Amino acid sequence: KLGKRKVNILIMGRGSSGKTSMRSIIFDNYEPIDTRRLCATNEIETTHFPFLGLMLFNIKDCGGQDTFFNDYLSHKRRHLFHNIDVFVYLFEAKNGDEEFTKDLKQFQSLLSAICKGSPLVNVFCLIHKMDLVKPDQREKLFKDRENELINISKPAKISCYMTSIWDESLYGVWSSIVNRLMSNVHKLENTLKLFAEEMECDEVILFERATLLVVAKYVRVPPSDEKRPQRVSKTIKNFKAKLDRNKISHDLFEIKLSRLTIFIHKFIFDTFLMVVTRDTLTELISFNIKSLKAHFS
Ligand code: GTP
């Protein structure tokens, strides 16, 4: 059992930094292009999202205009920053040093208020809209921003990511968030490991069915592309949305890619199980996925 609980998630950042876009892509099946139609968020928009049927994400997307910030840090301070499990702050990558310094100050005031009200909070900083930065400047810009953020956040520990709605990076961030929230993910990973070793599969990954975020995984043979789980999340999510629109069932997919076979089966607790194998005994693997499902049920 994974434990049923309410998880409080706060998403903040300055106006137009991409908060609602991120939330809509991960939790509402938006395509990146659809986010161009989004309007500025007025104060705070709260949404609830049941995750694995065992956690309830309580997501607060906080509008980023300056007047709202003053209100968050004064009138709303006592309630807003209490009992937060996850704090996600978005910085626009293309902002120059002056804008970034303003953003840092704002982030620092919020972080200090949150750490007081929620000492166990997990903090994620996104250097977002990275697609607007020239490819050869991205790595250095990210490292500089990350170093500065880590320094000013001390003693709080933070995790930084470079992201864009135009690639698979947001799936990586949110899968890390999920991983951080699951207290007994190791048990789940051990079962996946036993299965992968026994069946000599390259990789076994459990995805949440609606968001396609990675819940747990075991990699026996590392893929040449280390971003594969995130790319699979994005690809399958888009594919599933098309099947949904056409009312086609998606209980299982089987994809053959040169020497690899990839199985994606509807699994327990609102998940999909993905198995990557080079084995030709595909029927046996399919049968064993069903046995594994029975083991969990
Ligand atoms: P407020 O509600 O005003 O606080 O804004 P927000 O942070 O919720 O921003 P929103 O998600 O509404 O996005 C603002 C604009 O940025 C939209 O036109 C998005 O399409 C665009 N956007 C979001 N993420 C990205 C990204 O990664 N790259 C690029 N190029 N544009 C993005």
Side-chain angles (χ1 to χ4, degrees):
K1 292 268 183 276
L2 304 169
K4 185 175 188 171
R5 69 184 173 111
K6 189 172 171 193
V7 175
N8 294 316
I9 301 176
L10 208 54
I11 304 177
M12 291 187 145
R14 306 195 55 201
S16 273
S17 55
K19 301 175 290 295
T20 310
S21 305
M22 171 178 75
R23 196 199 72 203
S24 310
I25 290 171
I26 298 293
F27 295 101
D28 288 334
N29 279 331
Y30 271 51
E31 300 270 356
I33 193 93
D34 302 334
T35 65
R36 293 196 172 144
R37 289 189 276 111
L38 289 169
C39 303
T41 305
N42 188 19
E43 299 199 8
I44 300 173
E45 219 172 86
T46 304
T47 46
H48 294 104
F49 191 91
F51 197 81
L52 300 176
L54 298 164
M55 284 191 265
L56 181 69
F57 289 171
N58 175 33
I59 306 173
K60 286 193 167 18
D61 173 355
C62 304
Q65 290 169 33
D66 289 345
T67 47
F68 298 149
F69 266 102
N70 297 336
D71 196 35
Y72 302 150
L73 285 164
S74 52
H75 300 105
K76 296 204 167 64
R77 189 181 185 104
R78 241 161 59 95
H79 298 293
L80 189 57
F81 302 128
H82 193 63
N83 258 345
I84 301 300
D85 298 284
V86 176
F87 174 44
V88 184
Y89 193 97
L90 277 72
F91 295 86
E92 283 203 49
K94 67 176 176 9
N95 280 348
D97 288 344
E98 202 176 312
E99 279 296 304
F100 180 67
T101 308
K102 257 198 224 165
D103 224 354
L104 267 185
K105 283 207 179 105
Q106 193 154 286
F107 169 73
Q108 232 176 344
S109 334
L110 292 167
L111 184 66
S112 108
I114 291 173
C115 286
K116 278 195 195 107
S118 318
L120 299 177
V121 65
N122 293 288
V123 184
F124 294 82
C125 293
L126 275 45
I127 312 300
H128 189 58
K129 302 195 186 179
M130 221 12 137
D131 56 287
L132 300 178
V133 175
K134 285 191 184 142
D136 61 341
Q137 294 173 3
R138 289 177 192 164
E139 202 61 46
K140 180 173 179 329
L141 177 99
F142 175 71
K143 279 283 155 215
D144 290 349
R145 299 295 191 232
E146 182 181 40
N147 285 338
E148 212 161 333
L149 280 165
I150 289 174
N151 273 334
I152 62 123
S153 303
K154 281 175 185 163
K157 285 204 168 43
I158 61 163
S159 305
C160 299
Y161 295 82
M162 54 168 129
T163 51
S164 162
I165 55 170
W166 296 107
D167 61 23
E168 63 292 322
S169 50
L170 289 175
Y171 290 92
V173 176
W174 282 89
S175 294
S176 303
I177 293 177
V178 166
N179 192 273
R180 203 75 74 80
L181 293 171
M182 305 250 308
S183 52
N184 46 5
V185 72
H186 299 300
K187 273 194 195 159
L188 208 51
E189 281 172 347
N190 270 337
T191 311
L192 300 186
K193 177 180 175 188
L194 286 177
F195 180 87
E197 297 290 352
E198 182 73 22
M199 299 306 302
E200 299 188 352
C201 305
D202 284 20
E203 207 174 339
V204 188
I205 306 184
L206 200 61
F207 295 96
E208 196 274 337
R209 213 181 291 156
T211 55
L212 268 299
L213 296 176
V214 175
V215 174
K217 65 177 176 181
Y218 178 71
V219 181
R220 200 176 68 91
V221 180
S224 50
D225 169 12
E226 61 175 32
K227 289 189 180 155
R228 184 158 72 192
Q230 303 165 37
R231 291 198 210 281
V232 172
S233 294
K234 184 169 183 264
T235 312
I236 301 295
K237 190 157 180 186
N238 293 343
F239 185 52
K240 187 172 151 281
K242 287 197 180 90
L243 295 181
D244 284 342
R245 275 199 292 278
N246 293 299
K247 299 197 166 39
I248 298 170
S249 112
H250 40 67
D251 285 3
L252 72 107
F253 312 97
E254 199 177 309
I255 305 158
K256 289 205 190 305
L257 275 179
S258 62
R259 284 168 46 236
L260 293 179
T261 306
I262 303 176
F263 296 87
I264 298 175
H265 278 224
K266 210 169 189 176
F267 207 62
I268 49 131
F269 287 135
D270 295 334
T271 60
F272 281 121
L273 183 78
M274 181 180 95
V275 175
V276 181
T277 176
R278 291 155 202 273
D279 208 316
T280 48
L281 297 172
T282 51
E283 276 179 18
L284 179 63
I285 295 197
S286 223
F287 175 80
N288 278 311
I289 294 176
K290 287 191 189 116
S291 309
L292 185 65
K293 190 171 171 180
H295 165 84
F296 272 117
S297 303

